[in-house]
Amino acid sequence: GGGAGGGMGKTLAFCAGSWFLGGKIHSKRAVSKAQKKFKKEQKELYLQYYKDVMALQQQNVELQQYIDQTTLNQLDGEFSAADTNNDNKVSRAEFNMYKQDYLSKHPDMASQFPRFEDFDPDSNGLISKAEYDEYYRRLMAYS
């Protein structure tokens, strides 16, 4: 009877050892599989993040171009409004009429409204479209 009990103990020990060893092997396999899955998902997430950032940067560039173009169109419209005789030049009289009209609509801008001399660097008494554009080009470069 004693021999059978020893065989049973060995069998139980073997089974327990096999179960423990199998569990270790299986858990290592599961951990490895989970790590691979995590790395793959992390890579996909980083790739999506990169694509999103690039798309936002492109949108920012396009938005800035739109703002710049809209600003130029608005400035062209203001020059045309000031140039009442359509000779592509704004005289001091035209400037003063435009300034008076503008400030009647926007009195809070009186301290910020540029002087005629700011637009007429050659002091010939006329603001050409090129001088007008150059004034705003310098202004935008400083902002």
Side-chain angles (χ1 to χ4, degrees):
M8 186 64 139
K10 286 181 182 177
T11 302
L12 281 176
F14 178 75
C15 286
S18 295
W19 178 79
F20 181 75
L21 191 59
K24 277 289 215 191
I25 292 170
H26 177 72
S27 71
K28 278 188 177 180
R29 224 182 273 150
V31 166
S32 177
K33 187 177 179 182
Q35 285 176 334
K36 283 181 184 174
K37 183 179 177 190
F38 172 76
K39 285 181 180 179
K40 182 181 180 213
E41 289 173 355
Q42 186 180 36
K43 186 177 180 181
E44 289 170 0
L45 188 64
Y46 282 138
L47 186 61
Q48 186 60 49
Y49 173 77
Y50 179 77
K51 287 178 182 176
D52 291 347
V53 168
M54 294 304 291
L56 285 172
Q57 288 177 337
Q58 182 60 34
Q59 287 175 352
N60 285 345
V61 166
E62 290 169 6
L63 184 59
Q64 189 60 52
Q65 289 171 342
Y66 173 78
I67 289 169
D68 292 347
Q69 189 57 51
T70 302
T71 302
L72 290 175
N73 291 346
Q74 181 182 359
L75 292 174
D76 286 348
E78 288 183 21
F79 184 84
S80 296
D83 181 20
T84 55
N85 66 359
N86 297 320
D87 65 351
N88 273 340
K89 295 178 182 71
V90 175
S91 68
R92 187 177 292 274
E94 288 173 317
F95 179 85
N96 288 335
M97 284 182 357
Y98 178 79
K99 181 178 179 179
Q100 184 178 9
D101 183 51
Y102 184 88
L103 292 178
S104 70
K105 296 173 188 166
H106 310 282
D108 54 318
M109 297 297 291
S111 65
Q112 297 174 358
F113 203 91
R115 301 170 311 129
F116 182 84
E117 292 76 14
D118 297 333
F119 290 103
D120 187 25
D122 63 3
S123 302
N124 68 350
L126 295 171
I127 301 168
S128 69
K129 180 71 169 89
E131 288 172 328
Y132 179 83
D133 289 344
E134 182 57 30
Y135 171 82
Y136 280 105
R137 219 180 332 277
R138 285 192 317 266
L139 198 66
M140 286 183 203
Y142 291 125
S143 57

